[in-house]
């Protein structure tokens, strides 16, 4: 184990040291990523970071070939050098794309040729551990090998959209598969394993590059880096599972061996899922499978409301859960592993959707308040009508009382005026005729004709 840790440290240290030089070389060569509509970064950033990772990987293999514990892997086999030659070619293809932006058909053709070369050099899936040993013909083996390599290369390339995302996911997958291959290697007389060696070197170059690629990134890995990572992790899986005989492995250990044959799907579940969704989405619109857009998983995470670092960390969490889930079967019962994965999925789902919920919560509260407003208006309106009706009744009663009071006051005033007039009449009789209308007594008085005989006695006789 200490030897593998040393190889990982060498790969990571060399990658970390040479990456600034590669950045300077990228600027001088003009390999600077301009800001495009689908990009997340806002300033032009150098690419070709895969060159630094390739140098770190090559130096780690050189050191490994000189270490007695694992030097036997290089003595009677040329497989490590075939893998290294394929890594150099796939990185050069990526550099050409970083410099001149190759057509996707040309790039895919180059990937197929390199994959076939590596398969022809001895890196093939000879057996398929699907419950019984199935030996495939050489042509079928080469076809399966080339398909897996090309699929993994493009899956990592598709997910390389945020700073540190692709390298982190590949590093997590490499750690998980290194653990698995190391456990399987312990059942053999020699613990040395080419698959474990490739995985630890892969993890080392990923960690060394992340130190320069964390947001805000100083350098992008470019296609030279993403294609290199996809190529190496597939080679590591094929080295182990391609020659795995189910009869030679204990059942409890072999149980996860059904899944490593699909290792690119297992440890690169998110990149593969993103690639499948992108291809289906673009073909349904009548577009090329390689047509760029902003509908990848990391773009969706940003639209939900995550920051770049937050989106990367959460996607790392999903990748770690899926990658380490099968490895835990080696140590725990399947039921416990399933329960643990369900709990982890719930926690990750909460963190994934939390920014969206927090952003939409005020809208939900506003819509809920708007829904309750009509009911509140109706209830308040009926109460207001009742209050208005009560106020009207009070006003009417008050007006009636006021009118009654006014009538009473008028009657009292008239009575008082009549009594005053009567007193004046009694004291000064001449005033009535001048100042008042005739009274009832005046109306009843009828003057009699003048009769002189009543006053003159002579006339009366």
């Amino acid at each position: 184990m200490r030897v593998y840790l040393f190889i990982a440290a060498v790969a990571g240290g060399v990658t970390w040291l040479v990456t600034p030089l590669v950045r300077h070389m990228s600027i001088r060569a003009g390999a600077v990523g301009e800001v495009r509509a689908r990009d997340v970064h806002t300033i032009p950033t150098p690419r070709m970071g895969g060159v630094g990772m390739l140098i770190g990987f090559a130096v780690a293999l050189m050191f490994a070939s000189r270490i007695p514990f694992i030097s036997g892997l290089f003595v009677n086999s040329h497989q490590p050098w075939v893998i290294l030659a394929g890594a150099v070619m796939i990185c050069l293809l990526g550099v050409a794309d970083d410099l001149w932006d190759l057509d996707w058909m040309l790039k895919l053709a180059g990937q197929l040729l390199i994959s076939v070369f590596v398969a022809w050099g001895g890196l093939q899936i000879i057996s398929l551990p699907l419950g019984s040993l199935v030996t495939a013909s050489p042509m079928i083996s080469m076809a399966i090998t080339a398909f897996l390599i090309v699929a993994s290369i493009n899956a990592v390339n598709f997910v390389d959209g945020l700073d540190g995302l692709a390298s982190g996911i590949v590093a997590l997958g490499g750690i998980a598969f290194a653990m698995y291959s190391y456990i399987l290697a312990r059942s053999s007389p020699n613990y040395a394993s080419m698959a474990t060696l490739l995985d630890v070197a892969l993890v080392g170059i990923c960690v060394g590059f992340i130190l320069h690629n964390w947001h805000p990134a100083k350098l992008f890995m470019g296609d030279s880096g993403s294609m290199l990572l996809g190529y190496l992790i597939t080679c590591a899986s094929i080295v182990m599972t391609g020659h795995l005989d189910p009869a030679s492995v204990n059942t409890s250990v072999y149980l996860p061996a059904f899944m490593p044959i699909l290792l690119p799907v297992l440890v690169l579940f998110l990149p593969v899922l993103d690639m499948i969704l992108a291809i289906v989405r673009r073909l349904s619109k009548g577009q090329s499978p390689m047509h760029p857009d902003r509908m990848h998983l990391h773009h969706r995470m940003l639209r939900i409301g995550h920051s770049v670092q937050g989106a990367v960390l959460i996607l790392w969490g999903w990748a770690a859960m899926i990658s380490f889930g099968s490895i835990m079967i080696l140590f725990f019962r399947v039921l416990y592993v399933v329960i643990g994965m369900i709990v982890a999925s719930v926690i990750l789902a909460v963190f994934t959707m939390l920014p969206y919920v927090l952003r939409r919560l005020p809208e939900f509260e506003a819509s809920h308040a708007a829904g309750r407003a009509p009911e509140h208006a109706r209830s308040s309106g009926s109460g207001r009508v009742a209050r208005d009706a009560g106020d009207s009744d009070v006003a009417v009663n008050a007006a009636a009382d006021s009118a009654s009071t006014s009538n009473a006051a008028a009657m009292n005033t008239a009575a008082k005026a009549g009594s005053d007039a009567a007193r004046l009449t009694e004291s000064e009789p001449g005033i009535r005729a001048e100042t008042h209308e005739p009274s009832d007594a005046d109306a009843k008085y009828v003057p009699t004709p003048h009769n002189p005989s009543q006053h003159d006695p002579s006339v009366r006789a």
Side-chain angles (χ1 to χ4, degrees):
M1 177 60 71
R2 288 177 296 179
V3 173
Y4 293 128
L5 293 178
F6 173 74
I7 296 300
V10 169
V14 173
T15 303
W16 179 75
L17 288 174
V18 302
T19 296
L21 300 177
V22 173
R23 180 179 183 273
H24 180 71
M25 181 182 66
S26 301
I27 297 175
R28 293 288 298 272
V32 179
E34 299 295 336
V35 180
R36 299 165 296 186
R38 68 178 187 270
D39 291 332
V40 177
H41 65 281
T42 57
I43 59 175
T45 306
R47 294 184 288 188
M48 291 174 53
V51 176
M53 290 189 283
L54 175 64
I55 295 174
F57 178 76
V59 173
L61 282 188
M62 296 295 181
F63 269 84
S65 65
R66 301 298 179 180
I67 297 177
F69 175 69
I70 52 180
S71 60
L73 299 173
F74 297 83
V75 174
N76 299 321
S77 174
H78 59 276
Q79 191 178 65
W81 309 118
V82 171
I83 295 175
L84 180 59
V88 172
M89 289 188 289
I90 204 72
C91 185
L92 290 178
L93 178 63
V95 169
D97 185 68
D98 292 335
L99 289 172
W100 302 298
D101 197 11
L102 302 178
D103 182 75
W104 72 270
M105 291 286 290
L106 180 60
K107 187 164 58 176
L108 183 61
Q111 295 170 358
L112 284 172
L113 289 176
I114 296 171
S115 301
V116 171
F117 165 79
V118 173
W120 176 76
L123 186 70
Q124 297 181 16
I125 296 179
I126 303 301
S127 59
L128 300 175
L130 300 175
S132 62
L133 184 61
V134 178
T135 303
S137 66
M139 294 300 295
I140 296 179
S141 297
M142 292 179 63
I144 295 175
T145 302
F147 172 77
L148 289 177
I149 292 175
V150 172
S152 298
I153 286 173
N154 287 281
V156 177
N157 190 22
F158 272 52
V159 82
D160 182 28
L162 297 179
D163 298 337
L165 178 59
S167 53
I169 290 177
V170 172
L172 291 170
I175 293 172
F177 196 66
M179 294 171 55
Y180 176 74
S181 60
Y182 180 77
I183 293 173
L184 288 183
R186 293 183 63 181
S187 61
S188 61
N190 185 8
Y191 284 9
S193 169
M194 178 58 66
T196 308
L197 175 61
L198 295 176
D199 282 319
V200 296
L202 175 65
V203 172
I205 64 176
C206 288
V207 174
F209 183 74
I210 287 176
L211 298 178
H212 296 280
N213 188 237
W214 188 248
H215 185 77
K218 303 179 182 68
L219 177 71
F220 293 156
M221 69 170 61
D223 281 15
S224 59
S226 61
M227 293 197 297
L228 177 65
L229 296 183
Y231 166 82
L232 289 178
I233 196 168
T234 310
C235 289
S237 67
I238 293 175
V239 165
M240 188 192 71
T241 61
H243 297 79
L244 184 62
D245 186 354
S248 64
V249 188
N250 184 274
T251 303
S252 62
V253 176
Y254 179 68
L255 180 60
F258 293 97
M259 293 174 285
I261 194 60
L262 302 176
L263 186 68
V265 178
L266 179 64
V267 301
L268 299 177
F269 177 79
L270 291 181
V272 171
L273 175 63
D274 188 32
M275 181 182 66
I276 294 174
L277 293 176
I279 293 175
V280 172
R281 179 175 64 249
R282 294 166 184 174
L283 290 179
S284 63
K285 295 180 180 179
Q287 299 173 341
S288 167
M290 301 297 177
H291 182 77
D293 58 23
R294 289 181 61 89
M295 296 296 292
H296 291 284
L297 293 178
H298 50 272
H299 290 137
R300 297 174 187 268
M301 293 289 290
L302 295 179
R303 280 198 296 272
I304 287 176
H306 291 282
S307 63
V308 174
Q309 297 94 327
V312 170
L313 291 175
I314 291 177
L315 291 175
W316 281 5
W318 284 106
M321 183 199 69
I322 298 170
S323 300
F324 290 101
S326 62
I327 305 302
M328 293 298 103
I329 300 176
L330 299 175
F331 309 101
F332 305 100
R333 294 177 57 184
V334 177
L335 178 61
Y336 297 156
V337 174
V338 172
I339 294 175
M341 292 184 69
I342 292 175
V343 173
S345 300
V346 172
I347 295 175
L348 288 171
V350 170
F351 279 102
T352 301
M353 299 305 298
L354 184 60
Y356 176 79
V357 174
L358 293 179
R359 186 179 63 184
R360 295 296 303 273
L361 188 60
E363 299 179 9
F364 294 153
E365 294 177 351
S367 61
H368 182 67
R372 296 185 59 182
E375 179 181 355
H376 179 70
R378 288 193 297 269
S379 60
S380 61
S382 58
R384 186 164 53 252
V385 170
R387 289 193 301 271
D388 293 343
D391 295 341
S392 300
D393 294 339
V394 171
V396 170
N397 294 333
D401 294 341
S402 176
S404 300
T405 305
S406 300
N407 294 334
M411 292 177 63
N412 292 333
T413 302
K416 183 177 180 180
S419 59
D420 293 340
R423 286 195 298 272
L424 290 173
T425 304
E426 292 175 359
S427 58
E428 299 181 8
I431 296 176
R432 177 196 295 261
E434 298 176 359
T435 58
H436 298 281
E437 295 293 331
S439 62
D440 293 339
D442 297 333
K444 294 179 181 178
Y445 171 75
V446 178
T448 56
H450 179 67
N451 189 358
S453 61
Q454 293 180 359
H455 302 282
D456 192 354
S458 61
V459 176
R460 185 169 52 247

